[in-house]
Amino acid sequence: MSKLICALVPQEGKDFTYIIENKKSFNGKSTIEAIAKYLISENENFKILLLRPESLNKAEEKKIVEDLLKHGVTHEQIRCETLPVKGNYEERNFIIDNTITADFAFLAMQDNIDENIDEIILDISRGLNFQILILVEAFRRFIVAQKTKNYICENKVPKFYYVYLTPLNKDKTTHEITFEKANVPFFVDYFKNINKIPFNFGDEYSHLYQEFNFIKHIIYHVNECISAIKRGFALAFLTIIDWKDIKNLLDLSCEKLTLNRIKKLIDQLSIEEDNTKIVNLSMNYPLGNLWIYIYLLKTFYKIYEEYENKIEVEGHKKWVKIEILRDFNEKIIKNYFKETSAYTLLDNELENFKKIFEKGNRERKYPSSNLERNFNAHAGLLYEFIDQDNENLRLSYKLGEILDKDHKKKIEDYIKDFLKP
């Protein structure tokens, strides 16, 4: 296994003594240099992501890389990225949305993690205060994104740490390096920016909106899946949601919402004149937030794949056996997502159908006076929408059939309305 250490490139480092884990002492010009020495002494595998603020001279990056190479770190272990920043530095002015800076850091971390990384360490011991705060903001989103990515495989979630530096003497020549566990609560809720993409390009670059318009469909599907899980609509989750479209959208995300694409956008929308660089791009909401929900959608897709071959397709019908719906309810709704109320509701409905099947009768009820209320109350298994197969103990929605003859609205369209938050 391996570690990823992310740090801002320090400026004009001085020789200090660093004590790590109260047991080893190292001399060096930066915290990241001392950490690298420590990990080498412990025979640890690691990678380093250096983020150089655009305002900082590239020579500083070159110095820290040269120092790391002297201590036995290889070129392959070091990745350098130029972090766009906001502010005035040495007669240069940078104008950019701080959210873009945080998203850039988020994507840089995401771009450098792989299945072998089991610890991610953020060095917040050096750098300007507001840059550190932006980096921490990105790191918090990154932690939630990794939890979401591995939601149904918790053992694959890396451990996360902050690095703190504490002076041990008055002249501040000796410091203690502390690794503190970092954690952020995971949450599952509806994504509110339904009709917005994160980027605001302005009128001049209106063609870019079309390129990223697919994001709206991602948000729509995320909310569909959240609704299905929160309300116990297991049959709708497996047979109504358009999983083929979701797979295409996930592929587009991995193509369009990457670090390289953001770099190109920043270059394309940047203007430099009179020692001022302006990036004509603002954000409606953080791209890091969107990636959390993309990973959540990937998790939902993995769940669907687990059950895909258990769905029996016959003509316009997609049949799911009661035992499969029970398994989904127990494993997914109750255990993974802890939706106890939805679990209880669906469990009761499935028990009712089991009894009906045992008697060999179809369930028959008078038409519902309030479709929405009763659809929710019966975990989406409302009589008007359901076909029953007594012999094979399975259920299906009446796909392709029209419920509202006046408006010729198909049953699947009604169900998709119920899946909206």
Side-chain angles (χ1 to χ4, degrees):
M1 302 305 283
S2 183
K3 306 178 190 298
L4 173 66
I5 305 102
C6 178
L8 291 170
V9 173
Q11 186 175 17
E12 297 177 356
K14 296 179 181 179
D15 280 312
F16 291 122
T17 299
Y18 297 91
I19 299 173
I20 300 180
E21 298 290 306
N22 291 318
K23 60 181 182 181
K24 289 193 176 183
S25 176
F26 301 91
N27 292 327
K29 295 182 179 180
S30 66
T31 312
I32 191 67
E33 184 182 347
I35 292 173
K37 285 184 176 181
Y38 170 69
L39 293 176
I40 289 171
S41 73
E42 294 287 310
N43 295 315
E44 297 273 11
N45 295 317
F46 64 93
K47 297 194 299 184
I48 295 173
L49 171 62
L50 292 174
L51 298 173
R52 178 180 62 84
E54 190 175 13
S55 56
L56 192 64
N57 194 302
K58 192 172 177 62
E60 299 293 342
E61 177 186 300
K62 186 177 179 182
K63 286 180 190 175
I64 186 67
V65 170
E66 287 175 349
D67 287 338
L68 290 170
L69 294 175
K70 287 177 186 175
H71 302 308
V73 183
T74 66
H75 280 290
E76 290 73 22
Q77 289 175 272
I78 305 171
R79 172 85 174 267
C80 299
E81 295 289 353
T82 304
L83 184 70
V85 291
K86 181 179 182 178
N88 296 293
Y89 311 90
E90 299 179 357
E91 299 182 354
R92 292 192 70 196
N93 189 25
F94 299 88
I95 301 173
I96 189 172
D97 186 338
N98 281 333
T99 303
I100 298 173
T101 303
D103 282 336
F104 190 99
F106 173 95
L107 291 172
M109 286 184 268
Q110 183 167 270
D111 205 47
N112 282 275
I113 189 171
D114 55 48
E115 295 299 321
N116 293 318
I117 300 291
D118 61 342
E119 289 186 15
I120 298 148
I121 301 165
L122 179 66
D123 177 9
I124 55 174
S125 65
R126 298 286 176 86
L128 297 178
N129 285 344
F130 89 96
Q131 290 176 0
I132 291 293
L133 289 174
I134 288 173
L135 204 57
V136 169
E137 180 185 347
F139 195 55
R140 287 175 62 82
R141 292 195 188 106
F142 181 72
I143 292 172
V144 178
Q146 290 302 310
K147 286 184 176 183
T148 312
K149 180 180 180 182
N150 299 289
Y151 190 81
I152 59 177
C153 302
E154 291 184 22
N155 60 318
K156 292 186 178 180
V157 179
K159 295 178 181 178
F160 305 93
Y161 296 90
Y162 292 118
V163 170
Y164 292 102
L165 202 59
T166 306
L168 296 180
N169 54 8
K170 289 184 179 180
D171 57 3
K172 297 181 179 180
T173 57
T174 303
H175 295 78
E176 180 183 12
I177 292 176
T178 306
F179 297 93
E180 182 178 300
K181 281 188 177 181
N183 196 17
V184 181
F186 178 81
F187 61 93
V188 176
D189 208 346
Y190 299 111
F191 199 102
K192 303 300 182 183
N193 296 289
I194 294 172
N195 294 313
K196 287 184 179 179
I197 66 172
F199 310 107
N200 185 5
F201 299 112
D203 296 336
E204 188 178 350
Y205 298 95
S206 56
H207 63 284
L208 289 173
Y209 287 104
Q210 185 175 358
E211 178 184 350
F212 293 96
N213 196 56
F214 72 92
I215 291 171
K216 295 179 183 178
H217 301 286
I218 287 175
I219 296 169
Y220 171 80
H221 283 306
V222 169
N223 284 333
E224 265 192 327
C225 293
I226 292 174
S227 289
I229 296 295
K230 280 181 172 286
R231 296 170 184 173
F233 300 162
L235 186 61
F237 184 95
L238 294 173
T239 64
I240 293 294
I241 293 171
D242 189 346
W243 294 104
K244 185 180 292 185
D245 187 43
I246 286 173
K247 179 63 169 64
N248 292 335
L249 292 169
L250 292 174
D251 290 343
L252 270 174
S253 299
C254 294
E255 176 189 344
K256 299 288 187 181
L257 302 176
T258 62
L259 179 63
N260 285 337
R261 187 66 187 98
I262 298 307
K263 286 180 183 178
K264 290 177 182 177
L265 278 177
I266 291 172
D267 289 342
Q268 183 179 355
L269 302 176
S270 294
I271 300 172
E272 292 194 56
E273 54 185 20
D274 299 327
N275 291 324
T276 296
K277 180 179 179 179
I278 302 172
V279 180
N280 290 313
L281 172 65
S282 60
M283 305 298 288
N284 294 315
Y285 55 86
L287 191 58
N289 281 7
L290 178 62
W291 262 106
I292 291 170
Y293 287 92
I294 292 170
Y295 279 134
L296 184 57
L297 192 58
K298 284 188 174 186
T299 294
F300 287 133
Y301 186 74
K302 286 179 185 177
I303 291 169
Y304 168 73
E305 283 187 308
E306 184 179 339
Y307 289 87
E308 184 179 11
N309 63 355
K310 299 171 185 177
I311 301 168
E312 301 168 0
V313 181
E314 296 175 5
H316 290 298
K317 299 291 189 291
K318 294 181 180 179
W319 296 97
V320 183
K321 291 183 177 179
I322 292 287
E323 64 184 73
I324 301 303
L325 292 172
R326 279 193 179 281
D327 181 79
F328 186 97
N329 194 29
E330 185 75 30
K331 185 176 180 180
I332 308 302
I333 295 176
K334 182 182 179 182
N335 291 340
Y336 283 164
F337 291 97
K338 317 299 182 189
E339 293 291 345
T340 307
S341 297
Y343 163 80
T344 303
L345 185 64
L346 179 57
D347 188 58
N348 289 338
E349 291 301 312
L350 294 175
E351 185 64 25
N352 289 337
F353 275 109
K354 180 183 176 183
K355 291 176 181 177
I356 291 165
F357 288 150
E358 286 174 351
K359 294 177 182 178
N361 300 320
R362 285 177 57 88
E363 181 188 30
R364 294 196 175 277
K365 292 181 180 179
Y366 292 107
S368 304
S369 59
N370 187 318
L371 280 179
E372 182 175 0
R373 181 193 66 201
N374 286 290
F375 189 88
N376 291 324
H378 293 278
L381 302 179
L382 194 60
Y383 168 71
E384 286 90 336
F385 295 85
I386 293 292
D387 265 333
Q388 303 165 40
D389 181 353
N390 298 48
E391 292 183 5
N392 297 298
L393 307 180
R394 58 185 188 170
L395 300 174
S396 172
Y397 284 120
K398 299 177 181 178
L399 300 179
E401 294 189 19
I402 295 172
L403 182 67
D404 187 341
K405 294 182 179 179
D406 292 333
H407 298 92
K408 299 188 182 304
K409 194 172 186 180
K410 291 184 178 180
I411 284 176
E412 50 261 52
D413 295 327
Y414 271 97
I415 296 173
K416 286 185 178 181
D417 285 340
F418 292 122
L419 288 173
K420 292 178 182 176

